[in-house]
């Protein structure tokens, strides 16, 4: 024994694989850091020679330019930082609207592609192949210049059913206007939410205890809607009144006005991304082997139960990872807003960089912004993926 | 294991090489860079993609002559100032200034490479050395002259910001635009002036902001906005390419002063002088009545000392700029004087006619005036 150990300790460290492994990795990290530092120093030296130093102090200065779409009050006296926030919120709203709608359309497309109805099947295939093979930038410009700018002018505004106004200044849709009883209604909604969570937890516990599978999601949503409906009917004054859009002077007024830029960007992104999501959904459903369906039928499950309890949970495992990357694509693609003049975070940052000459700072800022957005989405989707993953015993 | 060593060695070599090109492009007094600079001699990396910004005295002229042509940042979307014609060649007032500069340096107005730059990328292009000079209807302003590290050579065109609206809209003043939408291009002084002027008038409006002139005016043409704003010269020239030019009226308001002119980088005074005296040669040419048609006769026969100095017959003015002595002769011979350049692009015979107004010589009530050639 002793003989062996002494022999082992005689191996010189430069031939010890474990030590060499660690040394190699350390050397690699130092190499990367060294290169990174050289690049950074070189950039700083180059900028210093042009009389530019890196600093974010300019953010407090007055922006001085107007922005067409703002989610909070913004004027030319606002600071560059506020202008940046306007862009950030605009990107966020486009991303959220885009993700929600492209998921809905995508699932519909994926199911349509698998339909046994010849017409639905072929139409979905045709749509998908057409959209998927277009360039997104071209597609966006088509939607902006070819569709939304070609809508009638304000004076010849077209009135659609449900009081939707179509003009090339924007699309006006009816929107709720809060009244005095709105805060009370919000309280009722909160109660509804708590009740819904209670129903969800109770049904889950029931499902675990008995092994049955109640329609948890459906009942949860229904209980929330029920509370909201009772609240709406019981309140003496309606919490929201309908605000209809109308033409006033040079522009649209009332309701909710969606600008052509916003409409072009979201419809372009949604239709484009939903084509990809459709394929992801189709692949997910097809990945569930036929034997699973046959087995569940043999056990006496009906068509809906088969879909809900056997096919869908398994398909979801295949769908979620590629779906995540489609969501990330959509968020990053929203930076093409600059092509249709929608003031998103990249667009505003560009304007700031241009007015202040702080290109390096602003580009760094934009990159970090998109990185945070994407990482946050990834974390959220990975968490969900973890939850629905096959539990192996 | 050997592999890892090989990789790390390669990495270190690579980083040294990288440092070498970095050092070559930016020789600065900073300690970490100067140490590495010694490697430059052994590792000669001259990638074509590498953008070098020559900033020291005389370096720009050296780079331009070594390259054999001038790289000029221009507009490609404003007829009369900078526009790509049907045959693919550039034409316009600002473009002709680039040609004049090329004629001054090489004696050949065609030794120019025109590089179209957008309003928002133009200053970066100039700072990074991608272009030698920016001649793209750029407004001279305080921040651009200081923080954006540029020097304005001279005002070649005195302009003011205007507003254009459809004739049948009934809009005659800025106040009529209350509650309306105004199309404007991003990254311009126009965008800022619009906000300033409307704020002081107390008129509320919605800006519709676009990335380039084409999309701004396309959106205006489609009726996306009630009016469009840019420099008056730009409005006049863009109106010619709208579907029905007569259906649009330029309002009788001037919202700002917009002195337009070429711009060079900070740090090379010789290059600044060359560009500036190219402008002065054009103006002096008009004042002395030297045109492209009679320049040879005048050069041979003139007895006026300043004209003789201008054309390089007497003295050595050109040599003081680091150019040939007949640089002004080359400009006037190839491009003509200021009036000829103006009339070729913006004169009464062109679709983009703009009355000379402030852009006349001081003798005609304008603002153009050349310091003496002495």
């Amino acid at each position: 024994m002793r003989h062996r150990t002494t022999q082992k300790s005689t191996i010189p460290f430069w031939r010890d694989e474990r030590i060499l492994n660690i040394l190699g990795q350390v050397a690699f990290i130092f190499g990367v850091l060294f290169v990174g530092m050289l690049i950074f120093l070189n950039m700083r030296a180059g900028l210093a020679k042009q009389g530019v130093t890196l600093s974010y102090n300019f953010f407090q200065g007055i922006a001085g330019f107007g922005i067409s779409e703002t989610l909070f009050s913004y004027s030319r006296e606002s600071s560059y930082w506020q202008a940046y926030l306007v862009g950030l919120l605009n990107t966020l709203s486009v991303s959220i609207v885009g993700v929600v709608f492209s998921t809905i359309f995508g699932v519909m497309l994926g199911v349509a592609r698998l339909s046994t109805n010849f017409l639905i099947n072929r139409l979905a295939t045709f749509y998908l192949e057409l959209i998927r093979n277009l360039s997104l930038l071209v597609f966006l410009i088509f939607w902006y210049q070819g569709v939304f700018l070609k809508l009638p002018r304000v004076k010849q505004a077209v009135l659609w059913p449900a009081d939707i106004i179509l003009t090339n200044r924007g699309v006006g849709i009816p929107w709720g206007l809060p009244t005095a009883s709105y805060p009370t209604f919000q309280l009722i909604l909160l109660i509804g939410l708590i009740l819904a969570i209670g129903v969800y937890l109770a049904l889950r516990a029931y499902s675990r205890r008995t092994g049955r599978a109640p329609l948890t999601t459906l009942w949860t949503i229904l209980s929330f809607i029920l509370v909201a409906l009772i609240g709406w009917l019981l309140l003496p004054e309606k919490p929201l009144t309908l605000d209809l859009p109308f033409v006033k002077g040079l522009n649209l007024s009332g309701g909710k006005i969606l600008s052509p830029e916003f409409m072009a960007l979201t419809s372009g992104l949604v239709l484009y991304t939903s084509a990809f999501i459709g394929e992801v959904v189709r692949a997910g459903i097809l990945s569930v082997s036929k034997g699973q369906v046959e087995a569940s039928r043999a056990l006496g499950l009906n068509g809906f139960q088969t879909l809900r309890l056997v096919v869908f949970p398994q398909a979801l495992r295949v769908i979620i990872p590629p779906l995540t990357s489609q969501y990330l694509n959509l968020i990053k693609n929203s930076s093409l807003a600059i092509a249709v003049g929608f003031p998103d975070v990249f667009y505003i940052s560009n304007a700031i960089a241009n007015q202040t000459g702080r290109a390096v700072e602003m580009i760094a800022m934009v990159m970090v912004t998109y990185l945070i957005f994407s990482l946050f989405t990834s974390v959220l989707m990975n968490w969900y993926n973890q939850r629905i993953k096959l539990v192996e015993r | 294991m050997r592999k890892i060593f090989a990789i790390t060695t390669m990495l270190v070599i690579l980083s040294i090489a990288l440092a070498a090109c970095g050092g070559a492009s930016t020789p600065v007094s900073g300690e970490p860079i100067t140490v590495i600079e010694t490697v430059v001699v052994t590792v000669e990396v001259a990638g074509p993609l590498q953008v070098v910004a020559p900033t020291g005295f005389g370096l720009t002229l050296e780079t331009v002559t070594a390259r054999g042509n001038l790289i000029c940042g221009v507009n490609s979307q404003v007829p009369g100032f900078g526009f790509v014609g049907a045959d693919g060649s550039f034409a316009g007032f600002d473009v002709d200034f680039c040609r004049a500069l090329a004629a001054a340096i090489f004696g050949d107005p065609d030794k120019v490479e025109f590089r179209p730059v957008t309003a928002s990328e133009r200053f970066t292009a100039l700072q990074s050395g991608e272009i030698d000079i920016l001649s793209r209807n750029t407004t001279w302003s305080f921040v651009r002259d200081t923080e954006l590290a540029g020097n304005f050579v001279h005002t070649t065109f005195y302009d003011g910001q205007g507003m254009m609206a459809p004739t049948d809209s009934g809009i005659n003043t800025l106040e009529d635009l209350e509650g309306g939408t105004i199309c404007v291009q991003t990254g311009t002084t126009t965008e800022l002036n619009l906000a300033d002027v409307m704020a002081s008038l107390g008129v509320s409006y919605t800006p519709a902001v676009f990335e380039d002139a084409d999309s701004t005016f396309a959106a205006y043409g489609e009726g996306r906005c009630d009016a469009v704003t840019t420099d008056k010269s730009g409005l006049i020239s863009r109106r010619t390419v709208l579907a029905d030019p007569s259906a649009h009226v330029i309002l009788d308001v001037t919202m700002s002063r917009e002195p337009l002119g070429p711009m060079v980088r900070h740090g090379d005074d010789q290059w600044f002088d060359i560009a500036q005296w190219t402008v002065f040669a054009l103006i002096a040419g008009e004042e002395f009545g030297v045109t492209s048609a009679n320049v040879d006769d005048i050069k041979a026969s003139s007895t006026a000392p300043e004209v003789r100095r201008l054309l390089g017959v007497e003295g050595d003015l050109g040599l003081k700029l680091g150019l040939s002595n007949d640089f002004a002769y080359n400009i006037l011979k190839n491009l003509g004087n200021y009036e000829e350049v103006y009339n070729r692009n913006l004169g009464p015979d062109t679709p983009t006619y703009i009355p000379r107004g402030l852009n006349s010589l001081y003798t005609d009530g304008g603002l153009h005036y050349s310091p003496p050639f002495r």
Side-chain angles (χ1 to χ4, degrees), chain A residues 232-274:
Chain A
W232 182 281
L233 292 175
L234 283 188
L235 280 175
E237 189 189 7
K238 295 282 157 280
L240 291 172
T241 54
L242 205 57
D243 188 20
L244 299 178
F246 57 92
V247 175
K248 181 187 162 197
L250 299 170
N251 255 328
L252 290 178
S253 193
K256 178 94 179 161
I257 313 296
L258 305 168
S259 74
E261 292 82 21
F262 177 82
M263 289 301 289
L265 183 65
T266 43
S267 44
L269 281 176
V270 162
L271 294 178
Y272 187 78
T273 314
S274 64

Side-chain angles (χ1 to χ4, degrees), chain A residues 290-302 306:
Chain A
K290 211 171 148 192
Q292 295 275 332
V293 179
E294 285 165 355
S296 59
R297 285 303 176 88
L299 285 172
L301 297 180
N302 64 26
T306 307

Side-chain angles (χ1 to χ4, degrees), chain B residues 139-196:
Chain B
T139 304
W140 186 345
S141 77
F142 190 102
V143 171
R144 289 175 176 178
D145 214 348
T146 53
E147 199 176 8
L148 291 184
N151 275 334
F152 280 86
V153 168
H154 193 73
T155 304
T156 52
F157 192 93
Y158 290 95
D159 208 342
Q161 186 175 339
M163 183 78 77
M164 180 161 74
T167 316
D168 59 12
S169 66
I171 293 169
N172 294 314
T173 63
L174 293 181
E175 283 83 356
D176 292 341
L177 284 164
E178 172 65 39
T181 311
I182 299 168
C183 282
V184 62
Q185 194 183 341
T186 185
T188 54
T189 50
T190 322
E191 187 184 8
L192 302 175
N193 289 336
L194 175 69
D196 286 0

Side-chain angles (χ1 to χ4, degrees), chain A residues 124-139:
Chain A
T125 309
F126 172 75
Y127 172 82
L128 207 130
E129 288 303 331
L130 178 77
I131 302 297
R132 229 162 40 128
N133 293 305
L134 281 176
S135 145
L136 178 56
L137 181 61
V138 175
F139 195 51

Side-chain angles (χ1 to χ4, degrees), chain B residues 21 44-52 67 71 113 115 128-130:
Chain B
C21 24
E44 208 167 301
V45 190
L49 282 173
Q50 196 183 346
V51 177
V52 187
R67 194 194 299 128
I71 300 181
E113 185 187 330
R115 207 159 281 179
S128 64
E130 196 195 317

Side-chain angles (χ1 to χ4, degrees), chain B residues 248-269:
Chain B
H248 302 274
V249 62
I250 294 168
L251 307 189
D252 190 22
V253 281
T254 302
M255 297 160 70
S256 69
R257 301 184 300 282
E258 302 285 333
L260 310 180
M263 184 186 187
V264 295
R265 270 185 298 279
H266 271 175
D268 189 347
D269 289 347

